[in-house]
Amino acid sequence: MGLALDLLLTILLELPIIALFFKRKKRPAAVMNTLMINLISWPMAHILKISTELNVYLIEMIVVTGEGIALWLLTGCTWQKGMIMSVIANAVSFTVTSLVHIDPDIFQNKPTIMVH
């Protein structure tokens, strides 16, 4: 469940950042494309982290590059804008998910209900 919370946190951080780069008319499409990109790149990055000896920073650089290219191709922006958006969004989400550790047990604790 910890990985699911990290994915949720990543999405909640990256989508608004990407949305800020687009005008109102293009925002919905850009947000949907970003969501799709994240749902593909996030699991791939974690599979690489788990199954290889690659440095986490190298994996993040691969993710930034891949997401930048995907943003460029899917949103119709320039490649420079795609890369800038990817660098900013991924730097924020990587930093926050590295610093914030959500304990999944906080969602499991149920109060004891006593019936008389």
Side-chain angles (χ1 to χ4, degrees):
M1 181 151 170
L3 287 176
L5 292 173
D6 281 347
L7 175 60
L8 179 64
L9 187 57
T10 298
I11 290 171
L12 290 174
L13 290 168
E14 289 191 17
L15 293 183
I17 292 170
I18 298 298
L20 291 174
F21 281 91
F22 292 93
K23 294 182 180 179
R24 286 185 193 250
K25 288 184 180 182
K26 289 193 170 188
R27 274 186 196 155
V31 167
M32 289 304 294
N33 286 327
T34 303
L35 179 61
M36 182 184 68
I37 292 166
N38 273 292
L39 291 176
I40 293 169
S41 67
W42 193 90
M44 291 173 62
H46 280 76
I47 289 170
L48 284 174
K49 288 177 187 176
I50 293 168
S51 64
T52 66
E53 297 288 326
L54 291 175
N55 186 328
V56 69
Y57 300 110
L58 176 61
I59 293 171
E60 193 61 28
M61 287 173 38
I62 293 167
V63 167
V64 167
T65 304
E67 286 187 9
I69 292 169
L71 284 167
W72 165 48
L73 295 174
L74 293 175
T75 62
C77 64
T78 64
W79 69 268
Q80 295 96 335
K81 184 177 178 179
M83 290 306 242
I84 290 169
M85 289 186 295
S86 180
V87 166
I88 293 171
N90 282 290
V92 169
S93 68
F94 180 76
T95 303
V96 170
T97 56
S98 296
L99 296 175
V100 175
H101 296 285
I102 302 172
D103 185 16
D105 291 336
I106 65 172
F107 299 107
Q108 300 296 324
N109 294 337
K110 296 179 184 176
T112 305
I113 299 174
M114 298 179 69
V115 179
H116 294 286

